[in-house]
Amino acid sequence: MRGKKGKFIVPGDPVGTIAAQSLGEPGTQMNMRSFHYAGTAEAVPTGLPRVIEVVDARRTPKKPMMDIHVKERYAKDEKKVRKIANNLEHVTLHKIAGMMEDFDKKVILIRVNPSELKRLGLDMRLIRAKIVEFLGNKAKVEQRENKVRIKFSKKEKIINIRKTMNKLKLLHIKGIPRIEKAMIIKEGEKYFIRTGGSNLAEVIKLPEIEVGTVWTNDIMEVNKVFGIEAARNAIVKELKIIMDSQGLPIDIRWLLLLSDAMCKSGTIQAVGRHGLSGHKAGILARAAFEETMKHLVNASIKAEEDKLSGVTENVIIGQIVPIGTGIVKLKFASGRGTQKAKK
Amino acid sequence: MNEHKIAVYVNGKLIGQYYDSGEKLLNLLREQRRIGRLSDQINFSYNPKLKSFYVNTDRGRVRRPYIIVKNGKSMLTDEIKDQLVKGEINFKYLLDNGIVEFLDAGEEENAYVALTEDEITEEHTHLDFDASTIYSVVTASLPYSNHNLSVRNTMACSQTKQALGMYVSNFNIRMDSRSHIMYYPQVPLVQTAAYDFLNLKKRPAGQNFVVAVATYYGYTMKDAIIINKKAIERGLARTVQFKTYKITELMYPGGQKDKFQIPLPTTSGYRGEESYKYLDEDGLISPEVPVSGGDVIVGNTSPPRFLEEISVFGVTEEKRRENSLSIKSGDKGIVDSVMVTNGIDGNRMVKVRVRDIKVPELGDKFSTRHGQKGVIGLIVPEEDMPFSENGIIPDLLINPHAIPSRMTVGHLIEMLGGKAGSVDASIKDGTAFTGDDFESFKKVLADHGFDEYGEEVFYDGLTGKKVKMKIFMGVIYYQRLHHLVSNKIHARSRGPVQLLTHQPTEGRAREGGLRFGEMERDCLVGYGASMLIKERLLDESDKATILVCNQCGSTAVHDYIRNRNYCPVCDSTDVSIVEVSYAFKLLLDEIKSIGIFPRLITSDKAE
């Protein structure tokens, strides 16, 4: 069949199998090639490990990342962009201060690094305020220059001091949680921010940010913030990035098909036992894949019926698979033909 | 902490500390060992980084001898060498007098070893006997291995181990289950020092081939080799394969026994008179009888499996089973010898050795001692082979592309050395590092009227035209490897099926089919060829017909007496005949066995 815009897929074409083969065959090469990079410090997983990450629908990627473009009027101003980047970086107390607990005197000593303070444009009053706010009336807070002294009552249990200490270490001072690092990258004349760690929901709230251009490699987060349609596009985009980086020419329509299959239920399903293959329609097809007993027993409890509509089921029972030439069926109109013959 | 404190371990166990430099202790103890106050089997090593001193006396350490070097001078002086040659002293003397010592892997770390006497400096502590002693037994037998890449040497080693030759001289009286002997094995023209020590001159495994590096109409593609047909007919690379078949007269509980005999026609499983025509009266085959697959070589009957019922006349007639030994399908040969003996358990045992001459044929594997392996791509009549200006016709052609990327320079040097050896009738020394220089081969060749680089003018055997380029020809040792096509060839159209699954058997020994696997199936699915899938997976495999009850969906049965189909569950006679794979029938049975009742819902095909 040929239309005005090119070739169409013919009814009965096993697009799923062809998609799997089109992705799988270059995938073997990708695996072989990734061995060449052995020993190189590759910060972000690319190649096969990253494909597995996407296709398995992992909760978070191994190295979450964001690309954040700022509004047009700031983009060429390096200083401005840097300032925005600095405000993104998540700063906790122990990152800018040395902390010590003294169980005899029931005291926590905090010594804030002044150069860090200056770099981040913070001042001690703010930090003091944050600590006081966190502690409430649990302990007394004394501050002299860059030193903070937290005094507990003499009766305070040591375990509580340690608990408070651990919580204090992670005290939020500034920035957006989970964004561990933010650097600025020049692209042409413009600058944009690349971050280690991802927090889409918070980042898009910032006024300086051009929301439409924010990119994250955390697909689950995209799904949570923008919904399944966006997640579907994110999967395609992520896979395309990997394939392009490996120089594998894969038609985007196979990626679209894979992505559609993963997102068809409204949530992101992994490819495998817990996702797509585990939710196939046919009992036999599921049993043939993995966890045979589980599927057979569950099917018998529910008295399920296998309609024999898939490929695997028909191969097992030895029928013609309903695909390609097997999808065509002839029907014989017995009514009129036979009656005429009788007469 | 004392800086000089050193931990001392004996056989890995910490026994104490030493408060001086480790090197000092090492030298002290070594000296004691050399003068014989400590056993020569004790080794010491010192690791300055870990500040640990190790003394090892336990078993299982790999040790090798070195000549001791003192103050930049080898202890093995010319004087001692003379005495050794005369036979006045032996190796034990060298060991006892501090001239030679054994080092283990640990002590080697503290040694500075010179490979030749010339390179000894003040710093050296030991001298190796010969540079080529760094090699293992097999590697040492490879000529000019110092001119090859190490991977090629590794490959050459494993290929050398597969070479067919004269592995023993008493092969005529041996009953190895499988062995090969070469018809005219030759000692290589280019040998190494190891050949003297390893007795390889008495047990050669190969022949010296006249080899030209040339192509032949694409038949040398991808490491295929061309062989001269006349050379094969003269016996080049001809081997004989011995295969031994074994059978024992087994004893059964109840005093019953197997019996070697020509089975009587009443025996159950009798194969017909024709099958036993080669057997003598005692049930054994005679030597020099040609046999092939399926022929009985030892007739044997076993007692019945179950005790017979007493027949009408009150006489028990024993119904014995046929249990003869026959040649495996696909094998052929001539019975070489028949041996009758007693087995370990005292039962009579017969071993029949069958011999089969294996003439090189298309697909047999050959290799040189440089990891250059190849299979025969074409056997060319002598008159069609290219020939040199002098009228020399090579035995074998290899493709020039086999050389550059693999960088087996040793291969080329051996070819040149073999050629030089054959014109001046001498054996050349190809020992790594110290063997004959290839410059000397150039001189020998030039003196005998050959091109010093081994290149010669050639003529095409088919057209008679001169070949535009000179062709490199030499003599090199070729090994026939034991991957013979005649032992591997396999094809099947119809054949045996497995008892359990009704699917074709697997493997050459069982005349099996070739698996049409999951990925192959996926290819047909991707192409949409449904009918072909069904044919491969059902019609050509385990097609079965089962009866299904249309009422309850359980499998129905056929009643032969009333000649009707009925369902044993619901007594209905409304039954469909369904074609399914036998594997599916098995699946249904297994599901039933775990207590699940699978129902098949039938419908008309046209709907």
Side-chain angles (χ1 to χ4, degrees):
Chain A
M1 220 191 277
R2 186 176 275 272
K4 276 180 190 168
K5 290 173 190 167
K7 285 171 193 164
F8 286 120
I9 296 274
V10 186
D13 247 11
V15 282
T17 304
I18 299 173
Q21 287 174 349
S22 308
L23 287 164
E25 193 275 337
T28 57
Q29 289 181 39
M30 187 156 58
N31 197 12
M32 276 178 252
R33 227 173 290 172
S34 68
F35 280 113
H36 284 280
Y37 298 116
T40 325
E42 194 89 325
V44 185
T46 52
L48 200 63
R50 177 67 183 144
V51 174
I52 293 168
E53 222 168 67
V54 174
V55 167
D56 276 0
R58 298 268 163 81
R59 195 78 33 86
T60 50
K62 197 172 176 193
K63 282 272 154 67
M65 267 169 61
M66 291 181 92
D67 275 0
I68 300 160
H69 293 260
V70 295
K71 286 227 166 86
E72 200 64 28
R73 60 196 126 108
Y74 309 122
K76 287 178 187 169
D77 187 352
E78 191 188 345
K79 274 184 189 166
K80 184 77 188 166
V81 179
R82 179 151 283 152
K83 205 184 161 194
I84 299 168
N86 279 346
N87 285 333
L88 283 175
E89 231 172 276
H90 187 217
V91 178
T92 48
L93 189 56
H94 80 285
K95 270 189 192 163
I96 55 163
M99 297 170 79
M100 227 177 73
E101 59 215 317
D102 190 328
F103 292 125
D104 287 340
K105 295 176 185 166
K106 312 253 169 176
V107 157
I108 292 178
L109 293 167
I110 299 165
R111 180 174 291 176
V112 182
N113 190 339
S115 61
E116 286 284 315
L117 269 187
K118 205 176 166 194
R119 190 179 70 86
L120 295 166
L122 296 165
D123 70 77
M124 281 311 294
R125 268 182 300 172
L126 178 90
I127 288 166
R128 189 199 145 105
K130 290 251 179 194
I131 293 171
V132 172
E133 188 192 349
F134 170 73
L135 288 171
N137 50 10
K138 269 193 243 168
K140 276 190 227 160
V141 180
E142 293 168 22
Q143 182 230 336
R144 210 178 303 142
E145 283 172 18
N146 64 335
K147 286 176 200 158
V148 182
R149 192 181 156 96
I150 302 168
K151 221 174 172 183
F152 290 87
S153 79
K154 288 285 169 196
K155 287 170 194 163
E156 190 67 58
K157 279 181 186 166
I158 289 174
I159 189 157
N160 286 336
I161 298 176
R162 171 54 64 85
K163 274 182 182 166
T164 317
M165 171 83 174
N166 286 342
K167 277 181 190 161
L168 264 179
K169 275 184 180 171
L170 300 175
L171 184 68
H172 172 89
I173 304 288
K174 193 188 170 194
I176 294 172
R178 298 208 299 281
I179 305 267
E180 264 143 45
K181 216 185 237 172
M183 51 197 163
I184 63 167
I185 292 171
K186 196 173 184 184
E187 192 181 46
E189 285 191 351
K190 293 177 184 171
Y191 293 89
F192 71 93
I193 302 162
R194 176 163 290 173
T195 64
S198 172
N199 192 342
L200 191 61
E202 293 297 319
V203 168
I204 57 170
K205 284 180 190 161
L206 295 178
E208 302 98 327
I209 295 318
E210 190 67 55
V211 177
T213 58
V214 175
W215 167 83
T216 175
N217 67 352
D218 190 336
I219 291 160
M220 299 311 259
E221 205 171 56
V222 174
N223 181 30
K224 212 158 76 189
V225 178
F226 291 126
I228 193 73
E229 285 291 335
R232 173 213 179 237
N233 286 332
I235 292 172
V236 175
K237 190 174 177 182
E238 286 302 310
L239 290 174
K240 190 72 187 154
I241 287 168
I242 305 158
M243 298 304 161
D244 289 347
S245 77
Q246 300 276 319
L248 301 174
I250 289 180
D251 195 299
I252 195 152
R253 281 171 287 184
W254 303 131
L255 304 178
L256 286 170
L257 185 65
L258 173 68
S259 184
D260 280 344
M262 287 174 70
C263 298
K264 67 179 178 190
S265 68
T267 54
I268 300 173
Q269 276 186 306
V271 178
R273 186 172 45 190
H274 303 294
L276 276 177
S277 305
H279 295 290
K280 277 190 200 172
I283 307 152
L284 287 175
R286 268 182 283 133
F289 179 59
E290 267 170 19
E291 302 177 306
T292 310
M293 279 309 262
K294 181 183 125 185
H295 290 301
L296 286 183
V297 170
N298 285 343
S300 73
I301 290 167
K302 295 177 200 161
E304 272 186 77
E305 186 180 332
D306 196 323
K307 296 279 185 195
L308 302 178
S309 51
V311 173
T312 321
E313 299 95 303
N314 282 291
V315 167
I316 289 173
I317 65 159
Q319 295 289 314
I320 286 162
V321 291
I323 245 165
T325 52
I327 209 164
V328 186
K329 274 184 184 143
L330 272 184
K331 258 192 177 174
F332 186 67
S334 58
R336 261 190 297 175
T338 41
Q339 270 172 7
K340 271 184 184 172
K342 271 180 188 172
K343 283 175 187 175
Chain B
M1 274 258 270
N2 191 329
E3 246 182 84
H4 292 292
K5 206 157 75 176
I6 289 160
V8 180
Y9 299 86
V10 173
N11 293 337
K13 206 172 162 187
L14 180 67
I15 56 139
Q17 282 162 339
Y18 183 70
Y19 292 90
D20 206 343
S21 97
E23 283 87 0
K24 231 179 185 176
L25 180 62
L26 187 67
N27 286 331
L28 182 86
L29 287 170
R30 263 186 186 170
E31 207 44 58
Q32 296 293 305
R33 182 180 62 197
R34 283 171 190 176
I35 60 171
R37 299 239 322 249
L38 285 170
S39 163
D40 63 81
Q41 297 195 14
I42 301 176
N43 285 104
F44 314 101
S45 58
Y46 172 57
N47 186 336
K49 260 190 190 162
L50 299 178
K51 291 203 173 295
S52 307
F53 191 89
Y54 302 96
V55 179
N56 280 308
T57 68
D58 49 354
R59 61 188 177 179
R61 285 169 296 136
V62 182
R63 303 156 77 239
R64 66 191 298 263
Y66 290 95
I67 299 164
I68 296 164
V69 172
K70 264 186 189 160
N71 307 322
K73 268 181 192 152
S74 163
M75 297 297 285
L76 191 70
T77 55
D78 292 340
E79 212 176 308
I80 297 170
K81 277 183 199 165
D82 280 343
Q83 280 178 288
L84 266 172
V85 172
K86 282 178 198 157
E88 290 166 7
I89 53 171
N90 56 13
F91 189 76
K92 184 89 172 48
Y93 176 89
L94 301 182
L95 209 55
D96 292 343
N97 288 274
I99 297 162
V100 168
E101 67 183 346
F102 280 90
L103 302 188
D104 70 354
E107 194 162 346
E108 273 174 2
E109 296 296 322
N110 296 114
Y112 187 33
V113 183
L115 283 180
T116 62
E117 206 156 348
D118 306 330
E119 69 177 56
I120 296 180
T121 64
E122 285 286 322
E123 286 167 53
H124 282 94
T125 59
H126 293 87
L127 169 66
D128 220 329
F129 286 88
D130 187 272
S132 69
T133 54
I134 61 171
Y135 286 138
S136 72
V137 168
V138 190
T139 319
S141 72
L142 306 178
Y144 297 111
S145 48
N146 55 324
H147 292 273
N148 291 337
L149 289 179
S150 79
V151 282
R152 290 287 143 194
N153 287 330
T154 318
M155 292 164 79
C157 283
S158 45
Q159 281 153 25
T160 302
K161 286 183 259 177
Q162 299 171 12
L164 308 180
M166 256 276 242
Y167 71 109
V168 286
S169 57
N170 65 343
F171 58 88
N172 258 326
I173 55 168
R174 286 173 72 97
M175 283 290 191
D176 295 306
S177 58
R178 193 178 282 181
S179 65
H180 296 262
I181 296 291
M182 188 171 246
Y183 260 70
Y184 306 104
Q186 292 176 347
V187 156
L189 283 169
V190 181
Q191 301 182 350
T192 66
Y195 270 72
D196 288 318
F197 309 121
L198 302 175
N199 264 339
L200 285 173
K201 285 178 180 173
K202 288 181 180 167
R203 301 278 177 268
Q207 285 169 336
N208 297 292
F209 285 27
V210 178
V211 175
V213 182
T215 57
Y216 192 86
Y217 301 99
Y219 286 99
T220 55
M221 198 190 285
K222 284 257 170 181
D223 277 322
I225 53 175
I226 301 294
I227 278 204
N228 184 339
K229 193 174 180 208
K230 269 284 159 57
I232 290 176
E233 284 165 2
R234 284 181 211 114
L236 187 87
R238 183 169 298 207
T239 58
V240 59
Q241 179 183 2
F242 292 108
K243 206 170 173 184
T244 305
Y245 291 84
K246 189 180 97 176
I247 187 167
T248 320
E249 253 181 1
L250 285 175
M251 298 249 269
Y252 296 91
Q256 290 169 307
K257 272 183 90 172
D258 277 354
K259 197 179 174 198
F260 294 157
Q261 61 177 167
I262 300 175
L264 301 169
T266 55
T267 317
S268 70
Y270 186 67
R271 299 193 197 184
E273 206 183 329
E274 185 69 7
S275 307
Y276 308 105
K277 63 183 174 185
Y278 298 129
L279 303 186
D280 289 340
E281 275 167 34
D282 56 0
L284 311 182
I285 202 163
S286 332
E288 300 305 324
V289 175
V291 286
S292 60
D295 285 348
V296 174
I297 47 177
V298 178
N300 179 30
T301 59
S302 301
R305 273 210 194 98
F306 309 103
L307 284 175
E308 300 268 315
E309 285 170 31
I310 296 165
S311 68
V312 192
F313 306 106
V315 189
T316 53
E317 196 191 305
E318 205 185 35
K319 183 84 171 168
R320 292 182 73 85
R321 281 182 299 131
E322 143 81 282
N323 201 6
S324 298
L325 177 69
S326 50
I327 301 281
K328 277 185 185 168
S329 73
D331 274 9
K332 64 169 181 62
I334 295 165
V335 176
D336 195 57
S337 70
V338 180
M339 186 181 80
V340 183
T341 179
N342 279 327
I344 300 167
D345 44 5
N347 293 326
R348 204 156 76 107
M349 182 173 73
V350 171
K351 281 188 171 181
V352 179
R353 190 173 63 205
V354 178
R355 118 176 81 86
D356 187 18
I357 295 168
K358 300 283 187 186
V359 181
E361 61 174 316
L362 197 72
D364 280 354
K365 195 177 175 185
F366 288 81
S367 97
T368 64
R369 291 174 292 172
H370 306 273
Q372 288 283 10
K373 59 172 186 277
V375 294
I376 299 180
L378 187 67
I379 295 168
V380 178
E382 188 167 58
E383 58 272 22
D384 293 342
M385 290 284 284
F387 55 90
S388 81
E389 211 173 17
N390 303 327
I392 299 172
I393 303 168
D395 296 320
L396 187 142
L397 304 180
I398 62 164
N399 195 311
H401 293 301
I403 309 294
S405 61
R406 293 170 195 162
M407 298 189 276
T408 52
V409 182
H411 188 278
L412 303 179
I413 299 176
E414 196 198 333
M415 278 175 79
L416 210 64
K419 195 172 185 179
S422 46
V423 293
D424 74 348
S426 67
I427 299 253
K428 300 295 179 198
D429 179 16
T431 310
F433 304 111
T434 54
D436 288 340
D437 192 23
F438 107 105
E439 296 289 330
S440 66
F441 303 149
K442 276 161 69 176
K443 197 174 170 302
V444 173
L445 286 172
D447 286 353
H448 288 79
F450 282 92
D451 179 81
E452 46 175 22
Y453 289 102
E455 292 179 338
E456 293 181 34
V457 175
F458 263 74
Y459 294 87
D460 187 324
L462 283 171
T463 62
K465 281 185 187 161
K466 197 195 238 178
V467 179
K468 276 186 190 161
M469 299 295 293
K470 281 181 156 187
I471 288 178
F472 180 61
M473 183 165 71
V475 177
I476 187 166
Y477 199 59
Y478 254 87
Q479 300 159 322
R480 189 174 188 201
L481 307 183
H482 72 195
H483 301 284
L484 310 177
V485 260
S486 59
N487 291 331
K488 294 196 166 166
I489 192 165
H490 175 51
R492 157 177 172 148
S493 59
R494 285 175 287 168
V497 290
Q498 279 165 11
L499 196 65
L500 178 71
T501 60
H502 288 201
Q503 287 168 0
T505 52
E506 197 185 330
R508 191 181 109 99
R510 274 162 284 157
E511 212 196 315
L514 297 172
R515 190 183 152 88
F516 190 83
E518 238 177 303
M519 295 176 94
E520 288 76 13
R521 183 208 67 180
D522 286 347
C523 284
L524 293 191
V525 170
Y527 191 66
S530 303
M531 308 301 154
L532 186 51
I533 297 173
K534 197 199 154 219
E535 178 181 296
R536 280 294 106 197
L537 268 38
L538 188 75
D539 303 337
E540 304 289 294
S541 179
D542 56 348
K543 189 172 173 175
T545 312
I546 59 169
L547 306 174
V548 178
C549 171
N550 291 334
Q551 302 299 319
C552 71
S554 64
T555 39
V557 291
H558 179 70
D559 184 345
Y560 275 96
I561 299 166
R562 294 186 189 94
N563 195 24
R564 59 169 195 141
N565 298 328
Y566 75 99
C567 172
V569 179
C570 64
D571 274 341
S572 158
T573 51
D574 182 13
V575 167
S576 300
I577 300 165
V578 182
E579 264 176 21
V580 293
S581 66
Y582 192 80
F584 181 62
K585 186 234 151 202
L586 268 183
L587 175 71
L588 291 182
D589 292 348
E590 284 208 25
I591 290 176
K592 279 177 217 162
S593 76
I594 56 171
I596 299 172
F597 180 29
R599 292 170 192 269
L600 299 182
I601 302 162
T602 53
S603 69
D604 226 327
K605 215 173 196 176
E607 280 170 43

